[in-house]
Amino acid sequence: MWVGGPVPPGSAAITLGRLVIVRCASAGNERLMRHELVHVRQWAELGVVGFLRAYLGSYFRSRWEGLGHREAYLRIPLEVQAEQEALGATAGDGRGWAMTAGAETDEEPPLESGPSAG
């Protein structure tokens, strides 16, 4: 994990393969860390090409269908899975989710993660 490394604007963390980069202010967020560790596993299971195809393919399909950035991001199945597992949830239709715990505080919804922007 790289705390304080480069994270895309609007994101609390990003996972690239086995590397999790997280903003300093978000480093203590246990839910976010669980979310990002799911992305580490997804990268390992799918490989670079498989992960990027699934992640970016879903995002761009949603954008093509007219969804905005946030809506498209929230519908990426890899993000849905990561958030459900981070929250300890197992149910869901995979069509979207709303984050419930903040990256910066426990009261605000967290910023998005990056590709994983997870």
Side-chain angles (χ1 to χ4, degrees), residues 48-108:
V48 173
V49 173
F51 182 91
L52 292 174
R53 182 182 312 139
Y55 194 99
L56 297 175
S58 174
Y59 176 80
F60 287 121
R61 268 190 308 279
S62 292
R63 292 303 305 262
W64 181 259
E65 293 169 358
L67 295 178
H69 164 71
R70 181 139 179 94
E71 293 79 16
Y73 167 78
L74 292 174
R75 291 182 184 220
I76 297 169
L78 294 172
E79 288 294 343
V80 173
Q81 178 187 21
E83 190 62 11
Q84 287 176 342
E85 290 187 29
L87 293 171
T90 57
D93 62 4
R95 293 181 6 194
W97 49 273
M99 293 191 204
T100 59
E104 308 296 331
T105 72
D106 289 333
E107 297 154 9
E108 298 295 321

Side-chain angles (χ1 to χ4, degrees), residues 2 4-8 14 21:
W2 181 3
V7 175
I14 185 169
I21 306 170

